[in-house]
């Protein structure tokens, strides 16, 4: 197992600068954000130009990772593959294919994305749609020796009423998507606020956990007594404000990291545990973001066996 970090938390930095900082801070791998520069997310992180990726870009990227003795663990393009706007959906699918092509050229084993959801349709209709969409994606990736990994994020902010906007949030849905040939980018933070014990989800699905993300979550049961499990009804322009929980860097929330890492080892996980920094306390500017990454490193690195 290696300790890595997702580059999306430093969207204004170049990949060269991130690689130098990460290696100096003791990280061993990077999960590289490859958004195209525009999209539906509240950040834009484009650290490799996968839409225009030729031999020169490949050589530069490989030389950069070799220089800093880092592994490139996965390419990250987490967008809504079931977007209700057909033009936007086509854009997302095209860019996902670009990311898969770049992963093949770089020898990267996986590309991360979301199932997503068309919020105008029922869950059953979305699942039927996804089976057709991802049959094409999985075939395209498989022909290039790349696995598609799906993060189990709820993406409640994508739904106008705050319901799940990414239909991959529970083990029930994992079992469905594994049948499509997809793998899991396992993240314990989402499971924790949903009331699912993340440690108990490792053993049954260990053979499909291709990549893992390290994000913590802080729960506020008193606030939950006011808002209920589904969170705030009146979000005042912030669709991601649930009111009773927030993401934290590892070590500052409720996730039991020694148990998580031990159970991953127990069941043979040899991939990258990648810090995904979305902590509002340790965010806002690059200095606090890097301090948050340092806190995460101090929490997790002692648990990783050299």
């Amino acid at each position: 197992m290696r300790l890595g970090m997702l580059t999306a938390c430093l969207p204004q930095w170049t990949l060269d600068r991130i690689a130098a900082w990460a290696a100096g801070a003791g990280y061993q791998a990077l999960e590289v954000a490859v958004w195209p520069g525009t999209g539906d997310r509240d950040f834009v992180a484009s650290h490799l130009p996968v839409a225009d990726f030729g031999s020169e870009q490949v050589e530069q990227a490989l030389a950069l990772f070799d220089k800093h003795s880092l592994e490139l663990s996965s390419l990250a393009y987490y967008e809504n593959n079931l977007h209700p706007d057909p033009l936007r959906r086509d854009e997302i699918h095209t860019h996902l294919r670009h990311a898969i092509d770049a992963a093949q050229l770089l020898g990267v084993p996986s590309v991360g994305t979301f199932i997503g959801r068309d919020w105008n349709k029922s869950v059953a209709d979305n699942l039927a749609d996804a089976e057709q969409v991802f049959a094409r994606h999985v075939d395209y990736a498989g022909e290039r020796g790349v696995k598609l990994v799906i993060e189990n994020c709820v993406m409640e902010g994508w739904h106008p009423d705050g319901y799940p906007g990414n239909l991959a949030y529970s083990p029930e849905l994992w079992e469905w998507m594994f049948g499509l040939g997809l793998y899991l980018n396992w993240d314990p933070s989402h499971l924790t606020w949903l009331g699912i014990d993340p440690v108990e989800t490792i053993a049954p699905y260990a053979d499909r956990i291709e990549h893992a993300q390290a994000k913590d979550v802080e729960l506020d049961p008193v606030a939950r007594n006011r808002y209920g499990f589904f969170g705030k009804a009146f979000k005042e322009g912030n669709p991601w404000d649930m009111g009773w929980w927030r993401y934290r860097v590892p070590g500052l929330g409720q996730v039991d990291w020694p148990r998580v890492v031990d159970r991953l080892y127990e069941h043979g996980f040899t991939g990258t545990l990648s810090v995904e920094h979305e902590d509002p306390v340790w965010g806002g500017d690059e200095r606090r973001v890097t301090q948050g990454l340092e806190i995460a490193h101090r929490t997790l690195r002692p648990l990783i066996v050299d």
Side-chain angles (χ1 to χ4, degrees):
M1 196 185 312
R2 293 162 299 283
L3 181 60
M5 55 168 278
L6 174 59
T7 66
C9 60
L10 292 165
Q12 304 306 319
W13 284 23
T14 65
L15 186 58
D16 296 54
R17 185 179 180 188
I18 293 173
W21 183 90
Y27 281 95
Q28 301 165 299
L30 294 181
E31 179 185 4
V32 177
V34 296
W35 275 263
T38 60
D40 299 328
R41 304 300 301 275
D42 53 359
F43 65 86
V44 173
S46 183
H47 290 131
L48 281 175
V50 296
D52 184 25
F53 213 63
S55 58
E56 182 179 352
Q57 288 83 2
V58 171
E59 291 176 8
Q60 290 174 347
L62 294 176
L64 176 66
F65 278 78
D66 183 63
K67 174 183 177 181
H68 296 290
S69 299
L70 290 168
E71 180 169 319
L72 206 172
S73 66
S74 187
L75 300 184
Y77 179 54
Y78 290 93
E79 277 288 2
N80 186 355
N81 281 281
L82 302 181
H83 199 288
D85 181 340
L87 294 178
R88 180 69 186 122
R89 185 188 288 205
D90 285 346
E91 291 174 354
I92 290 167
H93 292 178
T94 296
H95 194 74
L96 180 60
R97 289 193 294 271
H98 290 322
I100 293 167
D101 291 339
Q104 178 190 25
L105 293 171
L106 290 165
V108 178
S110 65
V111 171
T113 191
F114 287 139
I115 298 293
R117 178 179 185 170
D118 180 344
W119 51 84
N120 300 304
K121 296 180 179 180
S122 69
V123 170
D125 287 344
N126 270 278
L127 297 183
D129 190 7
E131 289 175 6
Q132 296 184 33
V133 167
F134 279 92
R136 297 191 296 271
H137 289 336
V138 169
D139 285 348
Y140 190 87
E143 290 166 359
R144 289 154 181 79
V146 176
K147 293 178 179 177
L148 287 180
V149 296
I150 306 296
E151 184 189 347
N152 56 287
C153 183
V154 182
M155 295 305 291
E156 67 286 345
W158 275 352
H159 193 288
D161 294 318
Y163 300 131
N166 174 40
L167 296 177
Y169 57 85
S170 68
E172 176 189 21
L173 289 164
W174 300 352
E175 292 166 5
W176 161 78
M177 72 182 194
F178 295 157
L180 305 181
L182 297 163
Y183 291 80
L184 187 62
N185 193 1
W186 181 87
D187 185 327
S189 64
H190 312 297
L191 296 166
T192 301
W193 77 260
L194 285 171
I196 299 170
D197 182 348
V199 174
E200 294 305 314
T201 69
I202 294 172
Y205 306 107
D207 63 331
R208 306 300 290 193
I209 300 176
E210 179 71 17
H211 198 271
Q213 288 187 330
K215 185 163 74 262
D216 217 325
V217 63
E218 181 181 6
L219 310 181
D220 184 348
V222 174
R224 187 174 57 209
N225 287 338
R226 171 175 172 77
Y227 300 117
F229 174 82
F230 295 104
K232 287 183 175 181
F234 305 104
K235 298 189 179 183
E236 300 175 353
N238 181 4
W240 305 102
D241 183 8
M242 297 291 281
W244 66 271
W245 59 265
R246 60 182 180 176
Y247 294 128
R248 304 302 309 272
V249 293
L252 300 181
Q254 267 73 48
V255 176
D256 188 338
W257 292 104
R259 286 184 68 224
V260 163
V261 174
D262 182 61
R263 194 62 57 87
L264 286 170
Y265 271 121
E266 179 183 359
H267 293 282
F269 180 72
T270 58
T272 295
L273 181 62
S274 179
V275 174
E276 183 183 19
H277 183 349
E278 295 182 347
D279 188 327
V281 177
W282 294 99
D285 61 65
E286 62 184 44
R287 178 173 179 271
R288 290 188 69 79
V289 168
T290 54
Q291 288 174 328
L293 290 168
E294 289 168 352
I295 294 169
H297 185 274
R298 287 197 297 271
T299 298
L300 297 173
R301 188 63 182 90
L303 306 176
I304 307 295
V305 178
D306 285 324

